[in-house]
Amino acid sequence: MTVTALGVPARPAARLLLPTLVGLLAVTLVMSLVTGAVAVPVDRVLAALIGQGEGRDAVVVLQLRLPRAVMGAAVGAALAVAGAAMQGIFRNPLADPALIGVSSGAAMAAAATIILGGQLALVAPWTNSAWLLPVAAFAGGLIATRVVAAVATRDGVTSAPSMLLAGIAVNAMAMALVGLLVWLSDDRQLRDFTFWSLGSLAGLDWPRTLVALPLLVIPVLLLPRLARPLNAMMLGEREAGHLGVPVQSVKRRAVLLSALGVGAAVAATGLIGFVGLVVPHLVRLMV
């Protein structure tokens, strides 16, 4: 008999959920390779995937669409599990990964790179690289999360309410700095930052995908291992501690893995909202 993380017998529909979603994901991935500005029939897509495609079809499927499809699936999964972890830590169904400051920190770093990158390249020519923006966004997200965690930690104990308040404060300050940078920008810089902040899979290629993919897969694989302690923490941190849950260790690992996944997602695709908040609720409704 299949049971949930709390030891409650799962409904029959819940046992079918994972294979059903995996099947739907596979169908969606194939459809994303079929449709586009250049239509490629399913048989030619499958031929390209097994190495028998030729000419334009192989280029369109393997070099343009496949890295974007893979990254889309990985980013969605990372944001979803990070959102579920944050809702468990804060014991709040309205929590999402942005509460720990990673998205606003990445946005601030991205805005600084886009708007001040020209002046930086004059001083340090080696920074004039297409990799500067995603690397800066990733670093900015991790730094913001580290600040939030440091503010919320006293004597080795991280308080969830303090982390929530610190996250709100860091988000507000980061977005205020983004507003200042936008005010300093010219039309081209403002347009570039606006397009980045909307979030998009366009422009992704295999080098960038292969760099970001491990950082996205690690949280997807490890955060579900925290399901039992996070479920116990929904009863309260003191009660979870009495049940033998290492509360502080669980919170640190959940925050670190969430920041890693969300930081990599934002660095690769820009800001993508809604997924981390809604997907955990949709899955709970089905399970």
Side-chain angles (χ1 to χ4, degrees):
M1 179 175 60
T2 303
V3 298
T4 65
L6 283 177
V8 180
R11 296 179 303 181
R15 294 197 294 268
L16 299 176
L17 178 63
L18 184 58
T20 300
L21 291 179
V22 171
L24 289 175
L25 176 61
V27 172
T28 304
L29 287 173
V30 172
M31 292 304 299
S32 69
L33 300 178
V34 170
T35 58
V38 177
V40 182
V42 175
D43 57 337
R44 299 214 298 257
V45 167
L46 297 177
L49 291 177
I50 62 176
Q52 297 181 359
E54 297 180 356
R56 184 193 66 177
D57 293 343
V59 173
V60 169
V61 172
L62 298 179
Q63 300 302 321
L64 297 180
R65 294 181 182 171
L66 187 57
R68 299 175 189 179
V70 170
M71 183 61 74
V75 167
L79 293 176
V81 295
M86 291 300 100
Q87 291 169 14
I89 289 176
F90 293 115
R91 303 196 299 278
N92 188 333
L94 298 180
D96 72 352
L99 284 179
I100 57 176
V102 59
S103 297
S104 58
M108 183 183 66
T113 302
I114 292 171
I115 296 165
L116 304 177
Q119 292 84 345
L120 181 62
L122 295 176
V123 179
W126 57 270
T127 61
N128 188 18
S129 168
W131 288 95
L132 180 60
L133 178 58
V135 170
F138 181 69
L142 293 187
I143 291 172
T145 303
R146 182 68 185 90
V147 171
V148 170
V151 171
T153 302
R154 290 290 181 274
D155 299 325
V157 177
T158 302
S159 167
S162 297
M163 187 183 298
L164 177 61
L165 294 174
I168 293 173
V170 168
N171 284 334
M173 290 187 291
M175 296 315 295
L177 289 174
V178 168
L180 175 62
L181 290 167
V182 167
W183 181 73
L184 295 173
S185 65
D186 57 29
D187 290 342
R188 181 187 60 80
Q189 294 167 344
L190 177 59
R191 183 173 62 253
D192 290 344
F193 177 71
T194 300
F195 287 150
W196 180 88
S197 65
L198 291 175
S200 175
L201 297 171
L204 285 173
D205 52 16
W206 278 118
R208 188 172 299 181
T209 297
L210 293 176
V211 169
L213 198 58
L215 303 178
L216 295 167
V217 171
I218 290 173
V220 172
L221 295 178
L222 296 184
L223 277 175
R225 293 176 174 268
L226 301 179
R228 287 178 180 270
L230 287 174
N231 279 339
M233 288 170 60
M234 294 293 287
L235 303 173
E237 293 185 5
R238 180 173 298 178
E239 289 77 2
H242 291 323
L243 292 173
V245 174
V247 174
Q248 295 305 315
S249 175
V250 170
K251 286 193 288 188
R252 282 195 295 268
R253 283 184 287 167
V255 169
L256 175 61
L257 290 171
S258 298
L260 183 66
V262 177
V266 173
T269 63
L271 297 177
I272 296 180
F274 199 64
V275 175
L277 174 63
V278 173
V279 171
H281 291 287
L282 295 176
V283 175
R284 289 192 195 101
L285 290 174
M286 291 183 285
V287 174

